Amino acid sequence: MHFIVTGGAGFIGSHLTEQLLSEGHYVTVIDNLTTGNLQNLPEHSRLKFLHKNILDCHPEDFSTQIDGIAHLAATPSVTESWLKPLEAHDNNLSATLAVIELCQALKIPKLVFASSAAVYGNKTPLSISEDQPPAPISPYGLQKLVSEQYAVLFAKQYNFSFIGLRLFNVYGPRQVPGSQYSGVISIFVDAMLKGLPINIYGDGSQTRDFVFVKDVATAFAKALTTPLTPGLALSCNIGTSKTTSILQLVNIMRNYFPKWELEPGFAPSRHGDIQHSLADISKALSVLNFVPQWSIESGLKNLIEYSQQQNS
């Protein structure tokens, strides 16, 4: 099969590209390299790269039948969506509409979208299911939600299937620690490697459902290859159904960095950050047969070994 991956040179997109190639598929990556990196991509006879913004793509850029598109290109930052709302709107919402138009023009039968747990807003510490009404508290979360709603609307109109994968806190190799888009884990690993102090926003009691990037890549690959009825549109949480507080995370990481003996600093909570986040992934299990394989400990071990190699 032949799939398009937007943002395919980025953190999650490059892992998905590798996963699809390993399964024998053809992949066309579209990336403007704003946050992506060509070094994240392997050299492969079944891989084609388009150095473009998705907003500038046209149907004539593609000469073969496309079996599905995974849309991961975005500005993945709650903070940035407040500071530059129009730019984030273009990169997160207008870009989704451009992908939907490609689906229509090229008669692509399936769209898989990188949505976010940010669509839920501040829910209770209880496990969040897709049945709970969304209530985003940031422009980023709103843009992800409206992207889903656009796709649901057009999927029925254009008769393609749609799956929005609501990603919880993704971490793993290739997440750039110095970037404003980085997750807390990659930032902490980088600081501990260098013997530097870390800062926690809030009191550290906030909890997250941390999911390893290779599990997320598997979820996307399953979503692209699982047969679905044309016109069907749905959303699935992608996480682990296990929760870790930021203070617990620091204590787990101390085991891997015994020479790091500093105490974390604390800073005020950031605008738009949620307090608790835990995924109910039963729908992803039933629809996609998705079962996460990586624990927080095994994922951290893999990431730390990768980071040590990069810094050696």
Side-chain angles (χ1 to χ4, degrees), residues 97 99-110 150-161 230-232:
L97 276 172
V99 169
I100 289 170
E101 286 196 328
L102 268 186
C103 286
Q104 188 266 338
L106 297 173
K107 293 183 168 51
I108 299 174
K110 180 179 287 183
Y150 264 127
V152 169
L153 195 68
F154 281 98
K156 294 172 183 174
Q157 181 70 19
Y158 293 151
N159 210 35
F160 62 85
S161 61
L232 179 67

Side-chain angles (χ1 to χ4, degrees), residues 57-101:
C57 286
H58 304 285
E60 51 268 27
D61 292 326
F62 309 93
S63 57
T64 59
Q65 171 63 39
I66 305 296
D67 298 292
I69 181 165
H71 178 39
L72 293 98
T75 297
S77 168
V78 167
T79 302
E80 192 76 357
S81 73
W82 284 109
L83 296 175
K84 298 179 180 178
L86 190 57
E87 182 179 311
H89 178 99
D90 284 342
N91 292 338
N92 293 342
L93 192 53
S94 298
T96 301
L97 276 172
V99 169
I100 289 170
E101 286 196 328

Side-chain angles (χ1 to χ4, degrees), residues 168-222:
F168 280 64
N169 289 77
V170 187
Y171 71 99
R174 302 179 198 149
Q175 193 172 32
V176 183
S179 164
Q180 60 187 327
Y181 309 113
S182 293
V184 63
I185 288 181
S186 61
I187 293 171
F188 283 5
V189 167
D190 187 60
M192 290 181 175
L193 270 173
K194 297 173 180 175
L196 299 174
I198 61 173
N199 277 318
I200 294 173
Y201 292 95
D203 62 7
S205 66
Q206 62 269 39
T207 58
R208 297 291 182 265
D209 186 336
F210 293 108
V211 57
F212 192 58
V213 67
K214 291 186 186 296
D215 277 333
V216 173
T218 297
F220 270 94
K222 285 180 178 291

Side-chain angles (χ1 to χ4, degrees), residues 9-30:
F11 165 45
I12 300 173
S14 62
H15 285 278
L16 171 59
T17 298
E18 284 184 342
Q19 177 78 22
L20 292 171
L21 291 171
S22 73
E23 294 176 4
H25 303 295
Y26 290 82
V27 181
T28 295
V29 164
I30 304 170

Side-chain angles (χ1 to χ4, degrees), residues 74-94 96 113 115-121 135-149 270-274:
T75 297
S77 168
V78 167
T79 302
E80 192 76 357
S81 73
W82 284 109
L83 296 175
K84 298 179 180 178
L86 190 57
E87 182 179 311
H89 178 99
D90 284 342
N91 292 338
N92 293 342
L93 192 53
S94 298
T96 301
F113 172 61
S115 189
S116 170
V119 304
Y120 294 116
I137 59 172
S138 68
Y140 172 75
L142 180 62
Q143 289 151 7
K144 289 295 187 181
L145 176 60
V146 177
S147 288
E148 285 188 28
Q149 292 172 334
R270 292 176 295 189
H271 190 45
D273 278 356
I274 60 177

